[in-house]
Amino acid sequence: MHGKNQQNQHKRIVKKFLYIETYGCQMNFSDSEIVVSIMKDQGYEMTGKPEDADAVFLNTCSIRDNAEKRVLRRLENLQSLRKKKPNLIIGVLGCMAERVKESLLEEAEIGMRIDMVVGPDAYRDLPYLIRDAESGHKAINVILSTEETYADLTPVRYDSNGVSAFISIMRGCENFCSYCVVPGTRGKERSRSPKTIVSEAGQLYERGYREITLLGQNVNSFMWDCSTDRDVINFPALIDNIAKKHPLMRIRFATSHPKDLSDDLISVIASNPNICRSIHLPVQSGSNPVLKRMNRKYTAESYMERVQSIRDRIPGCTVSTDIISGFCGETEEDHRRTMSLMKKAGFDFAYMFKYSERPGTLAESSFEDDVPDDVKTRRLEEIINLQQELSHESNLSDVGKVFEVLVEGVSKRSNENVMGRNSQNKVVIFKDKGFKAGTYVSVEIKQCTSATLLGEAVAVSEQCGGE
Ligand code: 5AD
Ligand code: SF4
């Protein structure tokens, strides 16, 4: 007993290192910053190399089957580190921890040892779980909460360019799109206190950050009841407040559900030049019967009405989307409708996926996953090819225009160039003339590819919100 105590005390003095890999969405990256903040308080420093780590965490995603397969392959691959470090702790965090639960700890079932399984609402429990794991016990907490927002914790921006950061404003999802695991893995919708959000934005500004992305599974459902004055703060009010407080800070948000993108929000964007001219509005399909089976609660027509409203009231705003090909019962006609909507909407950018049936979803229990894999693949290819044309057209229409670009750092391809983004969220590359990360530079676009704009700097500005 005495010996064990001494050992524990010894462990607390020795420096420990954490290596973390994040899969999936921006929300998960934001969660990893919370995890690192909690682990730092437990004496763990970050390392960029798994072989130097005492604990390796994978913050995982369950959205598609291949996302989980990738994690399992990585876990298998990490087992070899145990030979060199028998006390290594391997933890699975996030959505896959929440979905697969205890089974991840069954060595016989998954063919490898995992020491910790921690769901997205259980990170405050990490100090206890890691102590259990350090003393050789397997540790698990996958309890979902109706209140947890980690509002009071200060995220550690461990993988940051020092210019742009995420702020999580709400958690959970109650839309129940029939294909989606998220309501099951992230639980009930809850908003974070606006006071803590505004204060986090202010701290980031003070530290030199110039772009924040407000995150939630459906930011339009953000709602905070100020019980003292019976006032309610919704998303347009929140974003308006932050935009006006920090006119030199760019503000983005993700993700919006088309059924909830209000005229009020469009007006707030239109009237604040520092709210970015880029809206991500996942359509998923252009066919009404498919949208109905997906439980999306809008039609292709009402979606197009929202896009038109954005184009009319926020000139120069880009619209990006998510599309799923080969959902249950999708016919060639449904697929053609999706392609036709893509053309009508003229999407500037899209994330495109093959439907992947997920256990426990409404689609799994209600519909047959009946589109053959080769048909899903062919339709997806057609969608990707079309989007490439649309993105190229969108970029070609920018040639000759001047944009205000927020510099993020040197370009990956050549350190003679810098890269940044315009308000429309397009990557712009231009020759470095000593531009510092975090400055706004006016850039005239000279050429483009379907993915990037190439330009020349014409002036450095202190503004935020030019064309
Ligand atoms: N299969 C394929 N794509 C999916 N998405 C969500 N669930 C699935 C699934 N089961 C896509 C949607 C969503 C994006 C984050 O991932 O397009 O908007
Ligand atoms: Fe993946 Fe969705 Fe979880 Fe994000 S919320 S990590 S996309 S399953």
Side-chain angles (χ1 to χ4, degrees):
M1 203 54 201
H2 183 68
K4 198 172 175 195
N5 276 346
Q6 266 185 343
Q7 220 181 11
N8 280 345
Q9 273 166 10
H10 174 67
K11 268 190 191 167
R12 266 181 210 117
I13 302 162
V14 173
K15 261 193 196 166
K16 292 173 289 186
F17 289 94
L18 169 69
Y19 170 81
I20 184 162
E21 260 173 37
T22 307
Y23 298 77
C25 61
Q26 295 169 330
M27 196 77 192
N28 245 21
F29 283 83
S30 173
D31 279 5
S32 287
E33 297 182 336
I34 293 288
V35 168
V36 172
S37 159
I38 295 170
M39 292 297 286
K40 277 210 153 173
D41 285 346
Q42 298 308 304
Y44 277 83
E45 284 181 30
M46 290 295 289
T47 170
K49 293 188 194 149
E51 54 274 23
D52 293 342
D54 300 282
V56 171
F57 288 174
L58 303 191
N59 193 0
T60 60
C61 173
S62 284
I63 200 109
R64 284 168 288 276
D65 184 50
N66 58 14
E68 289 196 355
K69 289 227 170 81
R70 220 174 122 210
V71 169
L72 287 172
R73 278 198 303 272
R74 183 66 177 133
L75 285 166
E76 247 163 43
N77 176 269
L78 286 167
Q79 297 298 318
S80 62
L81 292 180
R82 284 196 194 281
K83 290 189 192 114
K84 283 174 242 153
K85 280 201 169 181
N87 294 330
L88 179 72
I89 295 166
I90 296 183
V92 176
L93 278 59
C95 289
M96 189 172 165
E98 193 60 53
R99 199 190 72 72
V100 186
K101 299 187 171 62
E102 290 84 1
S103 312
L104 281 168
L105 297 177
E106 301 292 336
E107 272 176 72
E109 201 167 312
I110 63 162
M112 63 184 134
R113 182 184 164 97
I114 289 163
D115 308 281
M116 288 171 70
V117 173
V118 193
D121 284 348
Y123 298 144
R124 274 184 212 272
D125 206 21
L126 277 169
Y128 308 100
L129 298 169
I130 192 82
R131 240 164 273 158
D132 270 359
E134 281 170 350
S135 52
H137 303 295
K138 291 185 181 179
I140 179 165
N141 186 343
V142 288
I143 297 171
L144 284 174
S145 156
T146 53
E147 283 162 14
E148 182 61 270
T149 59
Y150 302 112
D152 55 313
L153 297 178
T154 309
V156 174
R157 317 283 173 182
Y158 64 93
D159 188 21
S160 165
N161 58 10
V163 176
S164 42
F166 298 129
I167 300 184
S168 162
I169 65 163
M170 58 179 302
R171 300 179 72 82
C173 180
E174 287 167 40
N175 283 324
F176 291 99
C177 303
S178 63
Y179 49 78
C180 189
V181 284
V182 176
T185 61
R186 287 191 170 258
K188 285 209 167 296
E189 227 166 61
R190 65 223 102 118
S191 298
R192 173 179 170 190
S193 120
K195 219 165 140 189
T196 62
I197 298 169
V198 171
S199 138
E200 191 173 326
Q203 283 165 18
L204 286 167
Y205 186 78
E206 294 295 307
R207 287 168 52 199
Y209 284 82
R210 289 295 176 265
E211 185 178 88
I212 52 174
T213 304
L214 305 178
L215 290 181
Q217 255 79 33
N218 179 16
V219 288
N220 302 110
S221 309
F222 179 89
M223 192 62 77
W224 186 262
D225 194 347
C226 309
S227 37
T228 44
D229 50 12
R230 297 194 175 199
D231 231 7
V232 163
I233 297 180
N234 61 10
F235 185 62
L238 176 78
I239 194 167
D240 190 51
N241 179 310
I242 301 174
K244 294 213 158 60
K245 262 206 179 94
H246 302 291
L248 285 181
M249 179 98 109
R250 275 185 178 174
I251 304 172
R252 303 188 185 277
F253 57 92
T255 289
S256 284
H257 194 299
K259 76 175 163 54
D260 299 323
L261 184 89
S262 64
D263 285 339
D264 222 16
L265 179 61
I266 295 179
S267 302
V268 165
I269 300 171
S271 63
N272 287 284
N274 56 329
I275 302 183
C276 288
R277 269 46 188 155
S278 117
I279 297 181
H280 188 63
L281 204 60
V283 66
Q284 315 298 1
S285 166
S287 162
N288 289 338
V290 176
L291 287 170
K292 192 152 180 43
R293 284 198 294 281
M294 287 178 163
N295 197 26
R296 289 291 286 176
K297 303 185 184 100
Y298 56 83
T299 59
E301 294 72 27
S302 64
Y303 180 90
M304 278 312 299
E305 185 277 323
R306 292 288 75 194
V307 171
Q308 199 51 51
S309 197
I310 294 169
R311 301 252 187 245
D312 292 345
R313 293 169 60 199
I314 318 173
C317 187
T318 54
V319 180
S320 56
T321 201
D322 292 350
I323 298 173
I324 298 176
S325 87
F327 184 65
C328 312
E330 186 190 75
T331 60
E332 284 304 316
E333 179 55 26
D334 294 325
H335 170 60
R336 273 194 292 276
R337 287 200 177 125
T338 298
M339 306 258 286
S340 143
L341 183 141
M342 289 171 71
K343 286 184 209 152
K344 260 194 250 159
F347 292 122
D348 300 277
F349 183 80
Y351 297 98
M352 297 152 286
F353 314 100
K354 240 184 346 183
Y355 173 59
S356 158
E357 185 176 79
R358 308 306 292 128
T361 55
L362 288 170
E364 186 217 24
S365 53
S366 316
F367 311 114
E368 205 182 323
D369 181 12
D370 55 358
V371 179
D373 194 61
D374 58 333
V375 177
K376 284 183 187 170
T377 304
R378 194 250 308 147
R379 289 181 190 165
L380 179 64
E381 272 168 16
E382 288 175 10
I383 285 171
I384 291 173
N385 291 340
L386 172 58
Q387 185 53 48
Q388 199 157 0
E389 281 171 31
L390 295 174
S391 298
H392 199 206
E393 265 170 40
S394 160
N395 284 356
L396 275 176
S397 73
D398 288 338
V399 174
K401 289 186 190 163
V402 175
F403 291 101
E404 190 176 77
V405 176
L406 176 61
V407 178
E408 290 181 21
V410 285
S411 153
K412 272 187 207 139
R413 295 231 178 122
S414 146
N415 50 17
E416 286 184 8
N417 292 332
V418 282
M419 75 73 68
R421 274 166 212 274
N422 62 8
S423 173
Q424 289 73 3
N425 209 18
K426 292 187 181 178
V427 171
V428 184
I429 309 280
F430 54 104
K431 201 168 168 67
D432 189 6
K433 294 186 182 155
F435 303 121
K436 286 208 184 78
T439 48
Y440 291 105
V441 179
S442 294
V443 179
E444 185 178 339
I445 306 306
K446 300 285 187 188
Q447 291 174 53
C448 71
T449 66
S450 61
T452 318
L453 301 178
L454 308 163
E456 267 174 30
V458 289
V460 177
S461 58
E462 246 308 283
Q463 295 179 20
C464 175
E467 160 74 346

